[in-house]
Amino acid sequence: MMSYFADIEPIKFEGLDSSNQLAFRYYDKDRMVMGKRMEDHLRMAVCYWHSFCWDGFDVFGGGTFNRPWHGGPIDQARADHKLDEAFEFFTRLGLPYFCFHDVDVMAHAETIDEHVRNFANIVDKIQEKMDATGIKLLWGTANMFSHPRYMGGASTNPDPDVFRFAATQVRHCIEATHRLGGENYVLWGGREGYDCLLNTDLKQEKAQLGRFLQMVVEHKHKIGFKGDILIEPKPHEPTKHQYDFDVETIYGFLLANGLEKEVKMNIEANHATLSGHSFEHEVASAINLGIFGSIDMNRGDPQNGWDTDQFPNDIREITTGLYYILKNGGFVNGGNNFDAKVRRQSIDPADLFHGHIGGIDILARSLLNAAAMIEGGELDAVLQDRYADWHSDKGQALLSKDNGLEAISDAALAEGISPQPKSGRQEYVENIISRYI
């Protein structure tokens, strides 16, 4: 059978002068940037769910894509067909990684034994595809939010049997991720929150969530998985309140459960803005707390109040995010997963490539900008100057445990200090960014 993507030639770097709309203008994977290949800096991945599972439906209407593997129950034949087409797409696009949820790839299952059996069947076939193409797995995760059994949460569900079903999914998915050479395992708490406080025991649910996460970490070590365990912050949608609201909230949860050294963050750009933060804020916060792991690269629509999962196109936003990542030494196990989907009117096979090509080139441009900003050094100079007094012996002494409130106050009175306001130079530093993009 001819592939759905048969008319699309492999996507190549052709540079700024190219008139080919199915070509990269900035993403030259072998270009060296700060001593490393562009591909190795960005570590980009295609997500399986939006790209191959979503059929274009929304709450007001049915699917619009009508791709050959859509339009019916996902039995084994459809799951196999979808897998074939996914790897056709991966190889033509040329990114090194992909990501998946368990239910994205497998035939539909209702019972627990059927789930385990169907998932094991498709993992064997994924292994064959990866071996044949060289495409790698950035991370795997279990979908514990779509099925009606999870309407009240997964690990936080009032029904212990739902907790047990979720534990089974995660056990088999993290083992599959380990077998496939995945570099991370993500926990995405789609319904780990509440809609009505009146029927919710917050203490009980958070205790369940904490123990569940501890068990995941314990199992990681038991099976010898060397990748990172990642949590993806999500402020709301579909629930009114999510327990994994943002980076700082999750860090407090990790501290409470003794997991701050075991779990890192998979930060989604759209979730960051839904929490009321900027993407760069969530990245910088995770880095400063020592829990930065990976990125779900997308954007939201500022005129919508929900997660629209659009391909990134804001060069300033991505430049500043990558600036902090590069300053921190870059990705280790993580990367940039395109958790993004084409719009439901974009129904042609080529549209899926256009969405990814645009996002890939935006990341490549942003990487070049961020590297230039680091090499230019202007922002570093501003920070060093602004905080210079704190780095002096006198400034450091203020933070010493040998010093106290009374001693600091007495010395300030004795010296008669009278600090004067100093400019934060906000417009100046914002202009620096603008000159690089």
Side-chain angles (χ1 to χ4, degrees):
M1 183 183 298
M2 183 176 292
S3 169
Y4 180 69
F5 302 110
D7 292 337
I8 309 295
E9 295 293 327
I11 309 303
K12 298 178 180 179
F13 170 72
E14 296 185 8
L16 290 172
D17 295 330
S18 175
S19 60
N20 180 6
Q21 296 305 308
L22 289 172
F24 300 125
R25 285 163 171 72
Y26 291 90
Y27 180 59
D28 179 0
K29 67 178 184 178
D30 292 319
R31 178 172 177 176
M32 298 299 292
V33 180
M34 295 180 65
K36 187 186 291 187
R37 294 170 63 249
M38 185 175 280
E39 180 181 78
D40 297 331
H41 268 299
L42 295 174
R43 295 169 58 85
M44 291 184 283
V46 178
C47 82
Y48 210 100
W49 50 101
H50 290 324
S51 300
F52 304 103
C53 300
W54 187 54
D55 66 359
F57 81 91
D58 65 16
V59 294
F60 298 106
T64 57
F65 294 157
N66 297 318
R67 292 172 180 149
W69 56 93
H70 290 155
I74 302 298
D75 56 16
Q76 192 59 58
R78 285 183 183 273
D80 291 347
H81 185 188
K82 184 167 58 172
L83 181 65
D84 289 340
E85 296 291 6
F87 273 83
E88 286 285 342
F89 181 84
F90 299 158
T91 54
R92 283 170 167 77
L93 187 63
L95 295 189
Y97 293 100
F98 76 107
C99 300
F100 71 85
H101 299 80
D102 52 0
V103 302
D104 298 339
V105 295
M106 59 185 275
H108 178 73
E110 280 296 333
T111 65
I112 195 165
D113 60 327
E114 189 180 21
H115 181 97
V116 171
R117 185 171 60 252
N118 290 356
F119 185 53
N121 180 291
I122 202 70
V123 168
D124 289 341
K125 297 173 181 179
I126 293 172
Q127 181 75 74
E128 293 173 2
K129 293 286 188 183
M130 293 175 66
D131 291 343
T133 62
I135 294 167
K136 298 172 287 186
L137 179 61
L138 185 64
W139 52 258
T141 187
N143 179 324
M144 300 183 294
F145 50 88
S146 293
H147 194 279
R149 74 173 63 91
Y150 293 126
M151 65 181 184
S155 66
T156 61
N157 200 287
D159 183 349
D161 278 352
V162 175
F163 183 103
R164 295 167 69 194
F165 202 111
T168 302
Q169 278 191 245
V170 171
R171 178 250 176 122
H172 287 276
C173 195
I174 194 172
E175 288 176 0
T177 300
H178 179 41
R179 171 188 164 183
L180 296 172
E183 301 189 26
N184 310 269
Y185 184 82
V186 173
L187 291 154
W188 187 86
R191 297 188 189 275
E192 306 291 38
Y194 68 82
D195 290 312
C196 177
L197 190 56
L198 295 172
N199 65 0
T200 302
D201 186 334
L202 293 174
K203 184 176 181 180
Q204 174 67 31
E205 291 196 358
K206 286 190 278 189
Q208 293 169 206
L209 180 59
R211 181 58 193 139
F212 192 93
L213 186 54
Q214 289 170 348
M215 287 191 288
V216 172
V217 170
E218 289 163 7
H219 195 65
K220 163 194 166 169
H221 292 302
K222 180 178 180 179
I223 65 176
F225 179 55
K226 301 302 182 185
D228 289 328
I229 301 295
L230 306 175
I231 291 181
E232 182 169 321
K234 183 176 175 63
H236 54 76
E237 192 225 34
T239 66
K240 180 188 296 185
H241 172 76
Q242 295 279 144
Y243 298 131
D244 48 1
F245 185 86
D246 62 5
V247 167
E248 296 277 0
T249 301
I250 295 174
Y251 185 66
F253 180 82
L254 295 177
L255 284 172
N257 289 277
L259 294 168
E260 70 276 9
K261 302 296 185 184
E262 295 282 0
V263 178
K264 296 181 180 180
M265 296 293 102
N266 182 61
I267 297 168
E268 180 180 306
N270 200 170
H271 291 171
T273 52
L274 284 173
S275 70
H277 303 307
S278 66
F279 173 52
E280 64 189 275
H281 167 88
E282 288 291 87
V283 170
S285 294
I287 288 171
N288 291 337
L289 292 169
I291 56 173
F292 176 74
S294 197
I295 294 294
D296 267 9
M297 180 52 68
N298 59 21
R299 66 180 169 97
D301 187 324
Q303 294 174 320
N304 285 335
W306 60 88
D307 191 358
T308 54
D309 287 325
Q310 294 172 249
F311 282 93
N313 65 3
D314 187 332
I315 189 73
R316 187 185 188 95
E317 177 184 54
I318 309 307
T319 293
T320 51
L322 286 181
Y323 172 79
Y324 289 109
I325 293 170
L326 282 183
K327 287 277 290 181
N328 190 52
F331 293 108
V332 179
N333 291 326
N336 285 288
N337 169 53
F338 284 108
D339 186 7
K341 56 192 177 189
V342 295
R343 301 299 89 190
R344 67 193 302 267
Q345 296 182 57
S346 300
I347 61 176
D348 294 339
D351 292 325
L352 197 55
F353 283 91
H354 286 304
H356 283 86
I357 289 168
I360 291 164
D361 268 346
I362 283 287
L363 272 170
R365 288 179 63 189
S366 298
L367 175 69
L368 296 173
N369 293 342
M373 285 163 53
I374 290 170
E375 291 167 347
E378 295 97 330
L379 291 176
D380 273 343
V382 170
L383 284 180
Q384 288 171 8
D385 179 67
R386 192 174 189 206
Y387 292 93
D389 289 344
W390 276 106
H391 297 298
S392 68
D393 291 342
K394 189 174 182 180
Q396 289 294 297
L398 292 175
L399 303 179
S400 169
K401 291 185 178 180
D402 295 331
N403 225 332
L405 200 64
E406 183 179 348
I408 291 173
S409 172
D410 287 346
L413 286 167
E415 295 175 26
I417 64 170
S418 181
Q420 300 301 306
K422 298 177 182 178
S423 174
R425 306 175 75 190
Q426 179 174 333
E427 292 75 18
Y428 171 72
V429 295
E430 289 174 341
N431 288 347
I432 291 173
I433 302 293
S434 297
R435 290 172 189 142
Y436 280 99
I437 62 174

